[in-house]
Each structure stands twice: as C-alpha cells, then as structure tokens.
Amino acid sequence: DCWPNRGQMDVQGLTVKYTEAGRAVLSDISFSVDGGQSIGLLGRTGSGKSTLLSALLRLASTDGEILIDGVSWSSVSLHTWRKAFGVVPQKVFILTGTFRMNLDPHGRYSDEELWRVAEEVGLKSVIEQFPDKLDFQLEDGGNVLSNGHKQLLCLARSILSKARILLLDEPSAYLDPITLQVLRKTLKHAFSGCTVILSEHRVEPLLECQSFLMIEGSSMKSYDSIQKL
Ligand code: ATP
Ligand code: MG
C-alpha cells in the first residue's frame, strides 16, 4: 500500500487525442521526472499543457506508456492510479457538497485537522465567512467562491490526501501575489519530497523548479536549467 513511494514518473511514447479521428494534441512524447523533483511545464496557449496533465490522470484518450515508480498505468485500477495524484486544475469545478466533504471526501480527518490545513492554504477566513462554516453546502460548481479560492480548496484536499505527485495547472493566473507566496510556502512544507508538475505560461513562477518541459507543436523538449529555455 506504500505505492507510490518515490513519485518517479516515466512517460514513453505518449500520444493524446480528444477524439479517435481527431488530430493528436501531443504526439509521441517521452520524458522522465525524478521522484521529489519540481518540474516546470511551459508552452503557449493551446499547446497542450492541460491536455498533458489530463492524460497523466487517465482522463484523455491516449497511446503510450506511463509508469510511476516502475508501475504501469495499465496494471492498476483507475482509482488506485488517481489516488497517487493531487490536482489543482486551471478551471475548478467543485462537487456539490459541504466544505468538509470537498476537503475530505472520505471523512478521515477531524475538524481540527481540516481547520489546520485550511489555515495553511489561507482558506480559514474564507470558510469562516459562510454560515455553518465547514458544513456550508456548496452548489453549482462552487460558484460562491472565486476560481483562486477553488484552487486553494483543491490544494488543501491534496495536502489531506497525502498525494505523492501534485499537478498544478496555471495557479498564477488566478492567485494574487500574496496568495502565490502562500502557495510557494505550502509547496515547500506540505509537499517537500513530493513530485510536483507546475504548468505556467511564464518562466517567472517556475524559478524554484529543478527542470523544465516545454511543449511546442505537439512535441516536447526537456531542459535541466532555466538558462537553456
Ligand atoms: P492554456 O495555456 O490556454 O491553458 P494549454 O496549453 O493548457 O492552453 P490545452 O487546453 O491542453 O492547452 O489545449 C491543447 C489543444 O487541445 C488545443 O488545440 C485545444 O483546442 C484542444 N482541446 C483542449 N480540450 C479539448 C477538448 N475537450 N476537446 C477537444 N479539443 C480540446
Ligand atoms: Mg491549460
């Protein structure tokens, strides 16, 4: 039950399409990510950054092989595979249910723990504004929250689920500089030792990453230093 242990990812010959007959958004890409590394994922609007993150979660139609700590995605259940990941999507859709249920879908944590993590990501004062607090019912995709707050809710859920691999899709687009600072601190503390893939348009939010992937015209290049980009 300790898989994944290191969070090493190997992607081999990955091709991703949205429809059987459609064009390949990503074509025959291969790369590796060492366990515990932070990777910056770059590429222009529409290049396929979000598509790659969906493919890693087995949300898109794909050819090729993905291994996490040597375990192929074809050899474990979807549920087991996805449990390895924490995800902060670009556009968040919150499930209808309470804050509590969105933070802790399996009801594993005490209120004290939920509040501690909410405070860590800067959501405590937000949740406190709602009647019933943790028991406030979110509806219609959580539209009472800003997209940035929804992303923080996903971040909090990822901390609680003890995900080994964290996927972040353009957090800097919706978070103000102070909140980004909170995110940076959280990545250092709660996700130290975890594998992090951080997708961004600009290099600046990726300064703390150890290596970089750049999508260009359905293929992918790897860089081990920001100077080479
Ligand atoms: P951005 O920086 O704007 O977030 P991105 O790099 O994340 O862009 P994607 O959203 O992955 O880019 O889109 C890559 C390509 O896939 C685009 O050409 C887009 O039109 C196409 N695409 C994305 N989602 C779908 C979908 N659900 N169905 C069909 N095509 C899609
Ligand atoms: Mg995107």
Side-chain angles (χ1 to χ4, degrees), residues 18 23 25 43-52 90 169-170 201:
Y18 279 99
R23 76 175 180 100
V25 176
R44 298 196 51 189
T45 298
S47 59
K49 300 181 295 298
S50 300
T51 300
L52 174 64
Q90 189 168 11
D169 200 352
E170 280 187 49
H201 284 128

mmCIF file of all heavy atoms in Angstrom, residues 18 23 25 43-52 90 169-170 201, ligand 1:
data_model
loop_
_atom_site.group_PDB
_atom_site.id
_atom_site.type_symbol
_atom_site.label_atom_id
_atom_site.label_comp_id
_atom_site.label_asym_id
_atom_site.label_seq_id
_atom_site.Cartn_x
_atom_site.Cartn_y
_atom_site.Cartn_z
ATOM 1 N N TYR A 18 -8.282 14.001 -28.477
ATOM 2 C CA TYR A 18 -9.591 14.162 -27.832
ATOM 3 C C TYR A 18 -10.659 13.303 -28.479
ATOM 4 O O TYR A 18 -11.634 12.924 -27.829
ATOM 5 C CB TYR A 18 -9.993 15.634 -27.797
ATOM 6 C CG TYR A 18 -9.327 16.353 -26.655
ATOM 7 C CD1 TYR A 18 -8.183 17.110 -26.854
ATOM 8 C CD2 TYR A 18 -9.815 16.230 -25.360
ATOM 9 C CE1 TYR A 18 -7.555 17.751 -25.788
ATOM 10 C CE2 TYR A 18 -9.196 16.862 -24.302
ATOM 11 C CZ TYR A 18 -8.066 17.623 -24.516
ATOM 12 O OH TYR A 18 -7.453 18.235 -23.456
ATOM 13 N N ARG A 23 -7.011 15.215 -34.447
ATOM 14 C CA ARG A 23 -5.557 15.338 -34.502
ATOM 15 C C ARG A 23 -4.969 15.040 -33.125
ATOM 16 O O ARG A 23 -5.639 15.185 -32.091
ATOM 17 C CB ARG A 23 -5.177 16.747 -34.961
ATOM 18 C CG ARG A 23 -5.347 17.796 -33.875
ATOM 19 C CD ARG A 23 -4.862 19.171 -34.289
ATOM 20 N NE ARG A 23 -5.070 20.107 -33.177
ATOM 21 C CZ ARG A 23 -4.102 20.484 -32.340
ATOM 22 N NH1 ARG A 23 -2.866 20.046 -32.496
ATOM 23 N NH2 ARG A 23 -4.353 21.313 -31.345
ATOM 24 N N VAL A 25 -3.052 16.062 -30.112
ATOM 25 C CA VAL A 25 -2.617 17.298 -29.455
ATOM 26 C C VAL A 25 -1.166 17.131 -28.989
ATOM 27 O O VAL A 25 -0.347 18.048 -29.090
ATOM 28 C CB VAL A 25 -3.537 17.639 -28.262
ATOM 29 C CG1 VAL A 25 -3.033 18.860 -27.512
ATOM 30 C CG2 VAL A 25 -4.965 17.861 -28.746
ATOM 31 N N GLY A 43 4.595 26.237 -22.224
ATOM 32 C CA GLY A 43 4.067 26.117 -23.579
ATOM 33 C C GLY A 43 3.034 27.205 -23.777
ATOM 34 O O GLY A 43 2.436 27.689 -22.816
ATOM 35 N N ARG A 44 2.849 27.594 -25.036
ATOM 36 C CA ARG A 44 1.929 28.684 -25.295
ATOM 37 C C ARG A 44 0.478 28.264 -25.084
ATOM 38 O O ARG A 44 0.179 27.079 -24.939
ATOM 39 C CB ARG A 44 2.128 29.159 -26.737
ATOM 40 C CG ARG A 44 3.536 29.699 -26.967
ATOM 41 C CD ARG A 44 3.611 30.491 -28.231
ATOM 42 N NE ARG A 44 2.560 31.499 -28.272
ATOM 43 C CZ ARG A 44 2.284 32.223 -29.348
ATOM 44 N NH1 ARG A 44 2.974 32.050 -30.455
ATOM 45 N NH2 ARG A 44 1.322 33.118 -29.321
ATOM 46 N N THR A 45 -0.401 29.219 -25.089
ATOM 47 C CA THR A 45 -1.836 28.954 -25.008
ATOM 48 C C THR A 45 -2.224 27.945 -26.085
ATOM 49 O O THR A 45 -1.860 28.119 -27.247
ATOM 50 C CB THR A 45 -2.602 30.275 -25.237
ATOM 51 O OG1 THR A 45 -2.238 31.174 -24.202
ATOM 52 C CG2 THR A 45 -4.108 30.043 -25.215
ATOM 53 N N GLY A 46 -2.905 26.881 -25.665
ATOM 54 C CA GLY A 46 -3.356 25.885 -26.638
ATOM 55 C C GLY A 46 -2.309 24.867 -27.029
ATOM 56 O O GLY A 46 -2.550 24.017 -27.891
ATOM 57 N N SER A 47 -1.124 24.912 -26.384
ATOM 58 C CA SER A 47 -0.064 23.973 -26.786
ATOM 59 C C SER A 47 -0.309 22.562 -26.254
ATOM 60 O O SER A 47 0.200 21.589 -26.813
ATOM 61 C CB SER A 47 1.294 24.483 -26.300
ATOM 62 O OG SER A 47 1.288 24.621 -24.894
ATOM 63 N N GLY A 48 -1.069 22.437 -25.168
ATOM 64 C CA GLY A 48 -1.377 21.106 -24.663
ATOM 65 C C GLY A 48 -0.935 20.836 -23.234
ATOM 66 O O GLY A 48 -0.856 19.683 -22.811
ATOM 67 N N LYS A 49 -0.686 21.889 -22.465
ATOM 68 C CA LYS A 49 -0.266 21.692 -21.069
ATOM 69 C C LYS A 49 -1.367 21.009 -20.256
ATOM 70 O O LYS A 49 -1.127 20.015 -19.570
ATOM 71 C CB LYS A 49 0.101 23.039 -20.422
ATOM 72 C CG LYS A 49 1.238 23.762 -21.141
ATOM 73 C CD LYS A 49 1.593 25.079 -20.466
ATOM 74 C CE LYS A 49 0.488 26.122 -20.497
ATOM 75 N NZ LYS A 49 0.088 26.546 -21.850
ATOM 76 N N SER A 50 -2.582 21.567 -20.338
ATOM 77 C CA SER A 50 -3.690 20.956 -19.581
ATOM 78 C C SER A 50 -3.994 19.555 -20.111
ATOM 79 O O SER A 50 -4.353 18.654 -19.340
ATOM 80 C CB SER A 50 -4.948 21.829 -19.681
ATOM 81 O OG SER A 50 -4.696 23.110 -19.152
ATOM 82 N N THR A 51 -3.832 19.391 -21.421
ATOM 83 C CA THR A 51 -4.061 18.074 -22.026
ATOM 84 C C THR A 51 -3.094 17.041 -21.448
ATOM 85 O O THR A 51 -3.490 15.917 -21.127
ATOM 86 C CB THR A 51 -3.887 18.173 -23.558
ATOM 87 O OG1 THR A 51 -4.835 19.125 -24.066
ATOM 88 C CG2 THR A 51 -4.091 16.831 -24.235
ATOM 89 N N LEU A 52 -1.824 17.438 -21.291
ATOM 90 C CA LEU A 52 -0.846 16.507 -20.721
ATOM 91 C C LEU A 52 -1.238 16.128 -19.290
ATOM 92 O O LEU A 52 -1.211 14.949 -18.922
ATOM 93 C CB LEU A 52 0.558 17.119 -20.731
ATOM 94 C CG LEU A 52 1.627 16.278 -20.030
ATOM 95 C CD1 LEU A 52 1.829 14.941 -20.740
ATOM 96 C CD2 LEU A 52 2.951 17.025 -19.939
ATOM 97 N N GLN A 90 -6.843 24.139 -13.730
ATOM 98 C CA GLN A 90 -6.884 25.518 -14.211
ATOM 99 C C GLN A 90 -8.254 26.119 -13.928
ATOM 100 O O GLN A 90 -8.368 27.210 -13.388
ATOM 101 C CB GLN A 90 -6.605 25.491 -15.720
ATOM 102 C CG GLN A 90 -6.394 26.832 -16.349
ATOM 103 C CD GLN A 90 -5.836 26.675 -17.772
ATOM 104 O OE1 GLN A 90 -5.809 25.582 -18.338
ATOM 105 N NE2 GLN A 90 -5.396 27.776 -18.341
ATOM 106 N N ASP A 169 -2.136 23.391 -12.426
ATOM 107 C CA ASP A 169 -2.329 23.950 -13.760
ATOM 108 C C ASP A 169 -2.561 25.457 -13.679
ATOM 109 O O ASP A 169 -3.651 25.912 -13.337
ATOM 110 C CB ASP A 169 -3.508 23.261 -14.452
ATOM 111 C CG ASP A 169 -3.445 23.433 -15.960
ATOM 112 O OD1 ASP A 169 -2.583 24.197 -16.444
ATOM 113 O OD2 ASP A 169 -4.264 22.797 -16.658
ATOM 114 N N GLU A 170 -1.530 26.205 -13.963
ATOM 115 C CA GLU A 170 -1.570 27.668 -14.003
ATOM 116 C C GLU A 170 -2.154 28.339 -12.765
ATOM 117 O O GLU A 170 -3.091 29.142 -12.875
ATOM 118 C CB GLU A 170 -2.353 28.129 -15.232
ATOM 119 C CG GLU A 170 -1.491 28.055 -16.468
ATOM 120 C CD GLU A 170 -2.185 28.655 -17.668
ATOM 121 O OE1 GLU A 170 -2.702 29.767 -17.548
ATOM 122 O OE2 GLU A 170 -2.201 27.992 -18.701
ATOM 123 N N HIS A 201 2.457 29.792 -18.076
ATOM 124 C CA HIS A 201 2.803 30.447 -19.341
ATOM 125 C C HIS A 201 4.167 31.092 -19.282
ATOM 126 O O HIS A 201 4.874 31.210 -20.277
ATOM 127 C CB HIS A 201 1.789 31.576 -19.653
ATOM 128 C CG HIS A 201 0.499 31.076 -20.146
ATOM 129 N ND1 HIS A 201 -0.703 31.437 -19.598
ATOM 130 C CD2 HIS A 201 0.216 30.224 -21.144
ATOM 131 C CE1 HIS A 201 -1.670 30.821 -20.234
ATOM 132 N NE2 HIS A 201 -1.143 30.079 -21.171
HETATM 133 P P1 ATP B 1 -3.699 27.261 -21.949
HETATM 134 O O1 ATP B 1 -2.326 27.806 -21.732
HETATM 135 O O2 ATP B 1 -4.605 28.219 -22.612
HETATM 136 O O3 ATP B 1 -4.289 26.676 -20.720
HETATM 137 P P2 ATP B 1 -2.988 24.593 -22.819
HETATM 138 O O4 ATP B 1 -1.534 24.536 -23.147
HETATM 139 O O5 ATP B 1 -3.400 24.086 -21.496
HETATM 140 O O6 ATP B 1 -3.514 26.069 -23.043
HETATM 141 P P3 ATP B 1 -4.881 22.685 -23.827
HETATM 142 O O7 ATP B 1 -6.038 23.191 -23.080
HETATM 143 O O8 ATP B 1 -4.256 21.425 -23.371
HETATM 144 O O9 ATP B 1 -3.746 23.808 -23.973
HETATM 145 O O10 ATP B 1 -5.337 22.526 -25.334
HETATM 146 C C1 ATP B 1 -4.487 21.945 -26.329
HETATM 147 C C2 ATP B 1 -5.279 21.705 -27.594
HETATM 148 O O11 ATP B 1 -6.277 20.728 -27.365
HETATM 149 C C3 ATP B 1 -5.991 22.936 -28.120
HETATM 150 O O12 ATP B 1 -5.811 22.995 -29.502
HETATM 151 C C4 ATP B 1 -7.439 22.706 -27.791
HETATM 152 O O13 ATP B 1 -8.258 23.242 -28.799
HETATM 153 C C5 ATP B 1 -7.551 21.197 -27.750
HETATM 154 N N1 ATP B 1 -8.542 20.776 -26.748
HETATM 155 C C6 ATP B 1 -8.481 21.045 -25.430
HETATM 156 N N2 ATP B 1 -9.528 20.491 -24.771
HETATM 157 C C7 ATP B 1 -10.263 19.868 -25.715
HETATM 158 C C8 ATP B 1 -11.477 19.113 -25.673
HETATM 159 N N3 ATP B 1 -12.126 18.870 -24.529
HETATM 160 N N4 ATP B 1 -11.933 18.620 -26.842
HETATM 161 C C9 ATP B 1 -11.265 18.827 -27.990
HETATM 162 N N5 ATP B 1 -10.124 19.533 -28.093
HETATM 163 C C10 ATP B 1 -9.628 20.055 -26.977
#
